[in-house]
Amino acid sequence: MIRFSQVNKWYGRDHHVLKNLNLEVKQGEVVVLCGPSGSGKSTLIRTINQLEAINDGEIWVDGIQANNPKTNINKLREEVGFVFQHFNLYPHLSVLENITLAPIQVKKQSVEQANAKALELLERVGLAHKKDAYPGNLSGGQQQRVAIARGLAMNPRVMLFDEPTSALDPEMIGEVLEVMKSLAESGMTMMVVTHEMGFAREVADRVIFLDQGEILEDTDPEAFFTSPKTDRAKQFLRQIL
Ligand code: ADP
Ligand code: MG
């Protein structure tokens, strides 16, 4: 579903931020991406739907080459849902309108069709009763669940998450992780940047450890947590566990 081959990216001339990355995510797989702050996790995940351009190599998503100038970026972004740390909901739109905006404007769905799908997704994230609320009147955990529903409204093949719980108060982290877990169980292909190692252990099929733009480990969670191969991964785990 996702393939990186020999991907390199620089910021400016000197900052080599992604170093010769090769990785594959199969359909239905859940991959947790972790690593120290500044290691390139956000950059990596943002290249998948071309929020960041790469300098060298190839990225493929479900048969579409993401880094090809001929690729229709909007088509690519329909396939790839993205959930950010700071929910990025439109404050002036209701919950329902936030979710239906892209299906109506981009996919040309009717309002009725988009509303029906949005309500189904709101049920799924436990927020049907908030359909007419505005983001400012929701808790952080609720806003993030709306953001997930919004991502799903385009029927993506892949969902990407960049530290979806880092901006939340501790008591709200669980409700968001629960929604992500049930999404994983439904068979969605997911790539998740997170420091929630409980989630990684319980839900991920694989853990990728990134350090200074290099993939140092790409293994199953059990192996990563019990016997990391590199000193840098060991040090990282000591710091966060
Ligand atoms: P992470 O998400 O792992 O914390 P990032 O991908 O955000 O790491 O950043 C990796 C490195 O690239 C950091 O050193 C960061 O300062 C730098 N960086 C990120 N975005 C930009 C940008 N737009 N321009 C220049 N440097 C950037
Ligand atoms: Mg980041």
Side-chain angles (χ1 to χ4, degrees):
M1 193 61 79
I2 303 174
R3 186 158 55 83
F4 279 55
S5 71
Q6 312 266 325
V7 168
N8 283 283
K9 177 177 176 64
W10 284 262
Y11 283 121
R13 275 193 198 177
D14 303 327
H15 192 171
H16 196 179
V17 67
L18 299 179
K19 296 176 185 160
N20 218 34
L21 302 186
N22 294 293
L23 72 91
E24 259 184 39
V25 181
K26 297 199 173 67
Q27 182 169 355
E29 241 184 338
V30 178
V31 173
V32 160
L33 180 61
C34 64
S37 177
S39 56
K41 305 179 296 296
S42 294
T43 303
L44 188 165
I45 205 166
R46 291 165 67 88
T47 62
I48 297 172
N49 67 351
Q50 284 291 78
L51 290 172
E52 291 287 352
I54 58 172
N55 299 98
D56 194 16
E58 290 183 6
I59 299 175
W60 290 82
V61 183
D62 194 22
I64 304 174
Q65 190 179 357
N67 65 310
N68 185 332
K70 294 200 188 103
T71 294
N72 178 345
I73 291 294
N74 292 327
K75 184 80 200 134
L76 172 73
R77 290 184 186 160
E78 283 179 32
E79 305 277 321
V80 183
F82 204 114
V83 175
F84 301 88
Q85 180 176 357
H86 298 284
F87 339 119
N88 298 359
L89 296 174
Y90 299 106
H92 60 292
L93 298 181
S94 72
V95 163
L96 200 66
E97 289 163 343
N98 262 281
I99 298 172
T100 58
L101 185 69
I104 292 170
Q105 297 208 335
V106 181
K107 281 211 162 165
K108 308 295 177 203
Q109 289 180 5
S110 69
V111 174
E112 294 72 29
Q113 196 185 2
N115 281 349
K117 170 85 180 175
L119 279 172
E120 184 191 310
L121 290 168
L122 281 171
E123 292 280 353
R124 204 163 148 188
V125 301
L127 289 171
H129 60 296
K130 294 289 185 188
K131 69 182 172 63
D132 298 318
Y134 283 81
N137 294 325
L138 300 180
S139 72
Q142 290 172 332
Q143 289 186 58
Q144 193 59 302
R145 287 188 278 151
V146 171
I148 294 171
R150 181 179 60 176
L152 291 171
M154 298 292 273
N155 272 326
R157 306 290 317 272
V158 175
M159 283 288 282
L160 307 176
F161 296 83
D162 192 357
E163 302 207 30
T165 60
S166 309
L168 298 176
D169 290 333
E171 71 271 23
M172 291 169 190
I173 292 174
E175 67 196 54
V176 172
L177 293 178
E178 268 314 304
V179 166
M180 291 168 61
K181 184 177 167 199
S182 87
L183 187 58
E185 283 164 357
S186 78
M188 179 62 78
T189 306
M190 294 165 56
M191 199 153 174
V192 184
V193 177
T194 186
H195 290 161
E196 293 294 330
M197 292 296 128
F199 177 84
R201 233 178 163 133
E202 196 184 345
V203 182
D205 297 300
R206 267 164 54 214
V207 174
I208 292 177
F209 175 71
L210 199 68
D211 190 54
Q212 297 179 20
E214 282 180 277
I215 294 177
L216 295 191
E217 316 238 355
D218 181 349
T219 182
D220 63 281
E222 212 41 48
F224 180 69
F225 291 112
T226 57
S227 47
K229 293 191 295 284
T230 60
D231 286 339
R232 282 192 265 175
K234 283 178 199 158
Q235 189 189 358
F236 173 76
L237 286 168
R238 268 199 304 275
Q239 281 164 350
I240 63 161
L241 290 179

